[in-house]
């Protein structure tokens, strides 16, 4: 079994409050959950900043190739949103044989 962790560092557009930030981030998280029901996704960082956020995505799969493909698809889905700028994406793959 393989576990993939994807961390997306995102710069938000014209956001002036945490309330506006939520109105941008929540629909993105909901869309990832809707398109990929088998992944876990949440806002994981920069919680107190208005124009930055970090979204974490976790994937569990039987193969490393499938795990990587799902993480790539999730990254593309988020990066497609015109109201944000994807600053960085970090992928990490773990397997159950690692200590």
């Amino acid at each position: 079994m393989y576990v993939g962790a994807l961390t997306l560092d995102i710069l938000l557009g014209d956001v002036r409050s945490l309330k506006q930030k939520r109105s941008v981030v929540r629909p993105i998280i909901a869309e990832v959950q809707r398109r990929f029901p088998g992944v876990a996704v949440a806002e994981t960082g920069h919680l107190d900043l208005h124009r930055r956020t970090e979204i974490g995505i976790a994937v569990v799969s039987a193969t490393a190739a499938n795990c990587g493909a799902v993480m790539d698809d999730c990254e593309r889905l988020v990066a497609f949103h015109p109201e944000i700028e994807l600053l960085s994406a970090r992928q990490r793959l773990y397997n159950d044989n690692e200590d």
Side-chain angles (χ1 to χ4, degrees):
M1 176 179 356
Y2 292 88
V3 176
L6 173 62
T7 304
L8 304 172
D9 189 12
I10 297 170
L11 178 65
L12 303 172
D14 187 28
V15 173
R16 299 192 196 313
S17 70
L18 292 176
K19 186 175 180 179
Q20 282 183 319
K21 176 183 179 177
R22 279 194 309 273
S23 72
V24 173
V25 174
R26 277 186 175 167
I28 293 172
I29 289 173
E31 183 177 5
V32 172
Q33 289 173 328
R34 187 174 60 254
R35 293 273 306 273
F36 303 97
V39 306
V41 58
E43 185 177 8
T44 56
H46 306 302
L47 300 176
D48 57 345
L49 299 177
H50 298 144
R51 294 199 60 221
R52 291 282 297 276
T53 191
E54 180 183 88
I55 294 177
I57 299 172
V59 180
V60 177
S61 179
T63 66
N66 184 58
C67 204
V70 171
M71 287 190 293
D72 288 341
D73 290 344
C74 288
E75 180 182 339
R76 274 192 294 278
L77 177 66
V78 172
F80 177 74
H81 288 268
E83 69 274 17
I84 63 119
E85 179 182 345
L86 183 59
L87 298 175
S88 70
R90 294 177 304 282
Q91 290 188 11
R92 177 83 193 256
L93 189 63
Y94 306 89
N95 79 36
D96 59 353
N97 295 329
E98 292 179 353
D99 290 328

